[in-house]
Amino acid sequence: MIVYLILWWITGGIIILIGIGMARREPDIVTILIGIIVMAIGCIIIIHGSFKTFVNFFVELAAEEG
């Protein structure tokens, strides 16, 4: 479970860093907005992956207890 959680965080973190790099590259509003959208996608990936991992953990835990 921890491995999946770390993989979700790494993936989301890389996407957030790409968004920060895009937002800082050129100071025009369109590039900054695209960078912010990419950062938001990275945050959604982290939140979704964490939630999905914890839900799967509790479902497996409940299945083991019968």
Side-chain angles (χ1 to χ4, degrees):
M1 180 188 92
I2 299 295
V3 173
Y4 290 120
L5 198 58
I6 291 172
L7 287 174
W8 280 111
W9 286 350
I10 289 173
T11 304
I14 290 172
I15 292 175
I16 289 172
L17 290 176
I18 291 171
I20 291 172
M22 289 175 67
R24 292 186 53 168
R25 180 166 296 199
E26 294 181 18
D28 68 351
I29 191 71
V30 175
T31 309
I32 292 172
L33 288 176
I34 292 172
I36 290 171
I37 291 169
V38 171
M39 286 186 275
I41 291 170
C43 291
I44 290 169
I45 287 174
I46 291 174
I47 293 168
H48 168 74
S50 300
F51 182 74
K52 182 177 178 181
T53 303
F54 284 122
V55 167
N56 286 342
F57 172 71
F58 288 118
V59 166
E60 289 177 10
L61 189 67
E64 286 179 4
E65 301 209 0

